[in-house]
Amino acid sequence: MITYSTKVKSFLNQDPIPFLIGGSWLQSSNNQVFDVEDPSTKNLLGKVSKASGSDTEKAVEQADEAFKSWRKTSAKERARLLHKLADLCERDAEELAQLEALDVGKSVNNARGFDVPFGIESLRYYANLIENKDFEQVLNLDGVAGKSVRLPFGVVAFIFPWNFPLTLCMWGIGPALAAGNTVVVKPAAQTPLSTLYLAALAQEAGFPDGVFNVVPASGAEAGEVLTKHPKVKCLSFTGSSQVGKTIGQNCGFNLKPVKLELGGKGAAVVFDDADLNNAATGLAGAITLNTGQVCCTATRWIIQENALETFVEKVKTELAKTHIAPGMDEASEMGPVVSEKQLNSIFEYIKKGKEEGAEVIFGGNRVEVDGVSGYYMAPTLLKGTEDNICFKEEIFGPVAYITTFTDEEDAIRQVNSLDYGLANSVWTEDAVRAERVAKEMVAGNSWINAHNVFAYGLPYGGVNGSGNGGGVNSIETLFDYTRGLSIAQPVVVEELV
Ligand code: NAD
């Protein structure tokens, strides 16, 4: 196990860790705190001040006040600050990775290699975009001199889930701040640490007071304020489809633009001509990455009948190699799930799936890890028919459900049989078929011979039950955090005599 860095130790030693509103580090107005647990050990990591409804209101007011001058800063200045924040995140990359490993239970090496750098790159991506993108477009119109302008909304509120707290926060605030908005961020109660640490870095970077506010609050209480407050001009929610519906309903009622990045039940269609070694490695990785707690990952594996046996043997071999250990263990490839509640929910799904006829063909059990007591379980494969709860619902753990298909049409029918539409993949050596199937699978993302593929400039978002997000890492995302304005003037054309 690695030892905590000195900065992490002193950050966690604050009792309780305060939150940031209007440039001041504050304690809860009603003296409440969250206990933050390390899921790898069940130890108490620290206490975080819990923002009340009135604290959240205050954050919105401060963000609105800050917007009055922040909106007038040049794109160059906003880009400079985002780069400065990225520099500080690089300086404290180890601290951010450790906090993510401690709080979420994820492997510290994954946090070092993915969560932290991906977040930093995102800040730089939007900093570069804002400097080079023209936000005024002159239109070529008959009889009217017109232009279309994109402007910041004002206060943008963010509500985030617990699975990738740091990366999702940077993916969200990067484009919103770059576009000239101020932000109020509500992290998940289970995993608020890296967001609070990031807020301190933003302050150090020189973002003006009130531009970046963080309120660790209860979901319902913060939701009540953020979906209704007239000074919140746009809301971005990442989380479950169930809560997303409530948020969408409340924002709709208040005519507030809302971006919803919701749950998923990604399918992977494996044809018999696929490179089965590649498919087995890729899909085993899809359920062990972040202990399967990944919205877009592949959890329905739809395998061509005659490839089933070979594929299953290969994937079992891959899963058996997974080193399950605490997040802070350098050798950890898969940590615990995030909480006891989440672990119980996963086992409840497995139990119901079995009752409905599914067979456990790998794992399905809790795992004891020497010297620690945490929420560990084995990566798990279930096999059965489509009319099973584990095929239909998002389990959000290291569990995949396997069905078989006879032909392409059957495979596509199975993929599209659910309302979720976040991300699917197709595995085949036939490029024409890959492209055809990729287009037929209804979702925001279709990946070929890989799963979980991200790149800057590549839009990523869900459709149907997975939300209406315009993307995470693309120009579309930047535009999601702007409002449109048309400026027009009639042109009088004098007739030549
Ligand atoms: P969740 O919906 O329970 O909670 C998400 C956030 O919403 C938390 O901050 C929570 O406190 C808050 N919340 C809860 N009730 C609320 C309410 N009534 N009003 C306002 N806010 C409320 O989700 P979770 O369990 O934290 O995260 C897992 C879910 O997130 C999964 O469904 C996963 O697929 C999804 N997710 C989606 C994406 C994506 O990009 N599409 C990314 C990551 C996670």
Side-chain angles (χ1 to χ4, degrees):
M1 296 263 239
I2 59 173
T3 45
Y4 295 15
S5 89
T6 319
K7 281 185 185 170
V8 165
K9 251 190 236 161
S10 60
F11 175 74
L12 293 176
N13 276 343
Q14 301 173 86
D15 187 18
I17 300 168
F19 48 76
L20 182 66
I21 294 179
S24 301
W25 288 93
L26 304 175
Q27 302 295 347
S28 166
S29 59
N30 56 11
N31 297 317
Q32 294 201 355
V33 290
F34 285 117
D35 285 343
V36 183
E37 186 189 35
D38 175 356
S40 298
T41 57
K42 299 190 191 171
N43 291 338
L44 180 71
L45 280 173
K47 288 181 184 293
V48 167
S49 239
K50 180 177 174 185
S52 64
S54 66
D55 293 326
T56 305
E57 273 178 32
K58 186 172 173 182
V60 174
E61 295 291 343
Q62 293 283 314
D64 182 59
E65 192 55 34
F67 179 65
K68 290 175 187 155
S69 40
W70 178 245
R71 60 185 278 270
K72 293 183 189 151
T73 52
S74 64
K76 196 167 179 210
E77 173 62 2
R78 295 197 300 274
R80 185 188 71 76
L81 286 169
L82 285 167
H83 278 302
K84 177 75 185 160
L85 177 57
D87 293 343
L88 295 177
C89 289
E90 266 162 16
R91 183 197 71 191
D92 285 5
E94 180 59 19
E95 281 72 23
L96 290 166
Q98 289 191 12
L99 286 173
E100 217 59 344
L102 286 164
D103 211 1
V104 188
K106 66 178 73 199
S107 130
V108 70
N109 272 327
N110 276 353
R112 285 174 184 148
F114 174 81
D115 302 63
V116 178
F118 223 27
I120 294 171
E121 282 165 27
S122 164
L123 296 178
R124 297 204 190 281
Y125 172 77
Y126 287 109
N128 293 334
L129 210 54
I130 194 87
E131 275 203 288
N132 298 310
K133 180 75 196 157
D134 193 355
F135 282 79
E136 288 194 14
Q137 195 191 350
V138 176
L139 305 170
N140 186 9
L141 308 168
D142 278 346
V144 171
K147 59 165 79 162
S148 152
V149 184
R150 309 247 21 130
L151 295 163
F153 279 108
V155 180
V156 177
F158 286 91
I159 300 177
F160 288 116
W162 47 257
N163 61 336
F164 287 96
L166 180 71
T167 316
L168 292 174
C169 183
M170 295 217 249
W171 282 359
I173 58 139
L177 293 173
N181 302 283
T182 55
V183 301
V184 175
V185 177
K186 192 210 95 60
Q190 299 92 327
T191 58
L193 299 179
S194 56
T195 310
L196 289 161
Y197 197 93
L198 181 70
L201 294 182
Q203 196 174 35
E204 187 184 342
F207 279 89
D209 291 351
V211 168
F212 186 163
N213 307 276
V214 180
V215 284
S218 94
E221 207 166 9
E224 190 64 18
V225 176
L226 298 175
T227 59
K228 293 185 181 159
H229 200 299
K231 287 182 179 166
V232 172
K233 298 298 183 192
C234 171
L235 192 138
S236 177
F237 172 79
T238 310
S240 63
S241 301
Q242 195 189 357
V243 177
K245 280 183 190 166
T246 307
I247 303 262
Q249 214 166 18
N250 292 341
C251 286
F253 185 79
N254 294 304
L255 301 178
K256 216 178 270 311
V258 61
K259 192 168 149 71
L260 299 169
E261 306 273 357
L262 308 179
K265 188 75 185 176
V269 174
V270 181
F271 283 91
D272 60 4
D273 70 340
D275 174 343
L276 292 184
N277 290 326
N278 181 40
T281 316
L283 292 176
I287 59 165
T288 55
L289 173 72
N290 213 35
T291 319
Q293 303 161 123
V294 183
C295 52
C296 53
T297 209
T299 54
R300 287 183 294 153
W301 298 355
I302 302 172
I303 316 292
Q304 194 154 22
E305 268 171 350
N306 51 337
L308 181 71
E309 208 176 313
T310 316
F311 170 77
V312 165
E313 282 319 304
K314 286 180 188 292
V315 91
K316 279 184 181 174
T317 308
E318 284 301 319
L319 291 174
K321 290 189 228 161
T322 311
H323 185 66
I324 300 171
M328 291 288 271
D329 184 331
E330 290 273 9
S332 173
E333 290 171 332
M334 185 172 110
V337 299
V338 76
S339 63
E340 184 164 23
K341 184 171 167 226
Q342 190 61 18
L343 190 71
N344 290 341
S345 159
I346 296 168
F347 278 109
E348 188 59 27
Y349 268 114
I350 295 175
K351 180 170 157 275
K352 283 190 189 154
K354 280 160 66 179
E355 283 164 8
E356 291 179 15
E359 183 192 349
V360 178
I361 59 171
F362 191 88
N365 54 291
R366 287 195 69 151
V367 168
E368 297 301 324
V369 172
D370 277 354
V372 287
S373 136
Y375 308 116
Y376 300 95
M377 66 173 287
T380 296
L381 299 180
L382 302 171
K383 184 168 150 300
T385 51
E386 290 166 65
D387 56 348
N388 190 290
I389 190 167
C390 294
F391 180 87
K392 294 190 244 177
E393 295 189 12
E394 184 183 44
I395 298 174
F396 223 55
V399 182
Y401 189 91
I402 299 180
T403 59
T404 55
F405 69 90
T406 46
D407 57 22
E408 191 174 312
E409 197 184 331
D410 183 27
I412 291 167
R413 184 195 55 73
Q414 290 192 43
V415 173
N416 294 340
S417 64
L418 304 184
D419 193 41
Y420 285 118
L422 191 50
N424 301 306
S425 57
V426 52
W427 304 70
T428 173
E429 293 298 287
D430 178 341
V432 176
R433 172 157 69 188
E435 173 93 10
R436 191 171 60 231
V437 174
K439 286 182 179 157
E440 284 300 315
M441 298 188 294
V442 179
N445 309 278
S446 276
W447 294 314
I448 297 173
N449 292 332
H451 206 100
N452 297 327
V453 184
F454 290 87
Y456 291 99
L458 180 70
Y460 163 93
V463 299
N464 300 331
S466 295
N468 60 7
V472 178
N473 300 311
S474 60
I475 184 83
E476 286 86 347
T477 321
L478 193 61
F479 285 159
D480 281 349
Y481 297 111
T482 60
R483 64 183 169 89
L485 170 72
S486 294
I487 302 179
Q489 179 178 355
V491 178
V492 181
V493 183
E494 294 196 5
E495 281 193 26
L496 293 174
V497 183

